[in-house]
Amino acid sequence: MGLDDRKLAVLRAIVEDYVSTQEPVGSKALVERHQLGVSPATVRNDMAVLEEEGYIRQPHTSAGRVPTDRGYRLFVDRLSRVKPLSPAERRAIERFLVGAVDLDDVVHRTVRLLAQLTRQVAVVQYPSLARSSVRHLELVPISTTRLMVVMIADTGRVEQRLVELPGPVSADDVTDLRRLVNEKLAGARLSDTPPLVQALVEESSPKLRPAMTTLATVLLETLVERHEERIALAGTANLTRGGLLDFQGSLRPILEALEEEVVLLKLIGETEPSTTRVLIGDENEFDNLRAASVVSTGYGPGATIVGGLGVLGPTRMDYPGNIATVRAVARYVGELLAQN
């Protein structure tokens, strides 16, 4: 790296000042605002080295300097300290999430909370069915030849489908079908259910087999094939809060990217357990997001990750604060899912 502690301290001061003031940072301001213990001339020399190494740059409009993507990356990896949340912030998160009545409410409260706390765009992935287990399967008779199948996952996610049966089925037969599917499938991971569903058909009595065969087709579609992912988004208006240098003067590419669900899923849906991922500027694989940064993590009950959540904003963001908030909210949501 070749940067001594003093130059690293100067870079940290530049990042912190630029994030808080939205103004390019000059050597005189750094000496006045930070206890660097050296003269403005020394700071200017350090800034020249940082610029030469590609950690800061000079916008055309100013004599001051701003961090580059490389400078932010070094700041996140080596120079920043994650800000602990205040007791008031922790209580606010807990109070806001504890009142949730169902999974939809949990997701919508979470995404609004993240947007409010970080003042960035917040993205929350609904618990992925691909990572879920079956909690219960309910069969609700609509008529003698029609059933409603309701699948409740361990994450609280609910899927329902109508089944047109090949012939009339009695209430007792529906009770038997319900018992058989729950004995076989309750507690199983959705990804492990295909052979279990096939076994249900093979093990059914001749009387129940026609209905079970039809039911099995719908179960496979619901449990295995129907894995469309859903995303909740909040705080898009926060993008307009920045200065002229944010997003290289145009919000349009960012807004276009936010409309693509597949882009958002790739940004936050592939986070490893117990890690916080920070993508800065050009590290984003999507061209439209090269002026943005993303802080994301996985969430779920216990050690199981069922989805991702995170925030997106300008590269000039409060990384320590946003990392702490994203982690804390993910932990609370995981605890909530574990309790329910």
Side-chain angles (χ1 to χ4, degrees):
M1 194 80 46
L3 294 181
D4 58 35
D5 288 347
R6 194 183 68 221
K7 291 182 184 65
L8 292 172
V10 169
L11 176 60
R12 178 195 283 128
I14 291 169
V15 172
E16 289 174 351
D17 277 13
Y18 182 53
V19 167
S20 64
T21 66
Q22 301 185 24
E23 298 288 337
V25 184
S27 55
K28 186 166 177 285
L30 285 177
V31 171
E32 288 169 359
R33 282 198 287 252
H34 299 269
Q35 306 297 312
L36 295 171
V38 291
S39 68
T42 303
V43 172
R44 276 195 297 277
N45 288 338
D46 289 343
M47 289 172 78
V49 173
L50 289 169
E51 190 167 7
E52 201 175 299
E53 297 277 329
Y55 294 107
I56 59 175
R57 64 184 177 84
Q58 181 177 21
H60 301 307
T61 54
S62 167
R65 302 295 187 277
V66 301
T68 61
D69 291 353
R70 190 174 186 217
Y72 284 123
R73 172 46 65 195
L74 184 60
F75 175 78
V76 168
D77 288 348
R78 285 189 56 192
L79 305 177
S80 64
R81 308 174 189 91
V82 174
K83 290 178 188 168
L85 295 189
S86 69
E89 285 171 320
R90 290 185 183 282
R91 281 196 302 275
I93 294 172
E94 204 168 348
R95 266 202 312 275
F96 198 72
L97 293 180
V98 149
V101 294
D102 58 20
L103 183 66
D104 273 328
D105 199 15
V106 169
V107 170
H108 287 122
R109 282 171 181 253
T110 302
V111 79
R112 290 205 315 276
L113 179 69
L114 268 178
Q116 287 168 15
L117 291 175
T118 63
R119 303 178 79 190
Q120 309 291 346
V121 180
V123 186
V124 177
Q125 176 190 17
Y126 274 77
S128 169
L129 282 179
R131 303 174 185 173
S132 303
S133 299
V134 179
R135 178 183 288 173
H136 181 72
L137 283 155
E138 189 54 60
L139 305 183
V140 183
I142 306 296
S143 71
T144 56
T145 59
R146 181 182 280 188
L147 292 177
M148 172 79 78
V149 177
V150 183
M151 191 281 294
I152 303 167
D154 58 344
T155 54
R157 186 161 168 180
V158 177
E159 294 285 315
Q160 51 191 43
R161 298 289 296 276
L162 274 176
V163 186
E164 297 288 349
L165 297 170
V169 175
S170 70
D172 287 345
D173 288 345
V174 173
T175 301
D176 288 342
L177 289 167
R178 184 188 298 117
R179 176 180 54 76
L180 290 167
V181 296
N182 278 292
E183 282 175 359
K184 184 69 76 174
L185 300 175
R189 284 186 66 84
L190 269 65
S191 53
D192 298 335
T193 54
L196 302 176
V197 172
Q198 187 56 44
L200 274 171
V201 177
E202 293 165 1
E203 294 166 13
S204 293
S205 65
K207 182 186 173 193
L208 291 179
R209 186 163 297 171
M212 187 66 90
T213 302
T214 306
L215 181 58
T217 304
V218 175
L219 284 174
L220 284 173
E221 287 174 4
T222 307
L223 299 173
V224 183
E225 293 160 19
R226 217 167 154 239
H227 280 173
E228 76 269 20
E229 302 294 357
R230 292 163 62 198
I231 286 279
L233 193 69
T236 308
N238 287 331
L239 293 173
T240 62
R241 292 174 40 252
L244 285 172
L245 293 174
D246 289 345
F247 308 121
Q248 295 155 12
S250 174
L251 272 177
R252 186 172 176 176
I254 308 286
L255 294 172
E256 286 175 352
L258 291 176
E259 288 180 1
E260 296 290 332
E261 204 155 279
V262 66
V263 171
L264 297 177
L265 278 168
K266 200 145 184 63
L267 287 176
I268 65 149
E270 299 182 351
T271 314
E272 292 299 309
S274 70
T275 61
T276 306
R277 185 170 66 167
V278 181
L279 294 173
I280 299 170
D282 281 338
E283 294 170 0
N284 284 301
E285 62 180 277
F286 302 103
D287 290 343
N288 283 4
L289 294 177
R290 294 280 160 84
S293 286
V294 180
V295 178
S296 63
T297 192
Y299 74 88
T304 307
I305 297 298
V306 297
L309 58 80
V311 296
L312 176 147
T315 53
R316 182 194 57 79
M317 69 161 60
D318 173 14
Y319 292 99
N322 289 342
I323 289 168
T325 302
V326 164
R327 282 180 183 168
V329 170
R331 191 171 63 250
Y332 277 107
V333 175
E335 287 170 7
L336 207 57
L337 292 178
Q339 287 164 16
N340 295 333

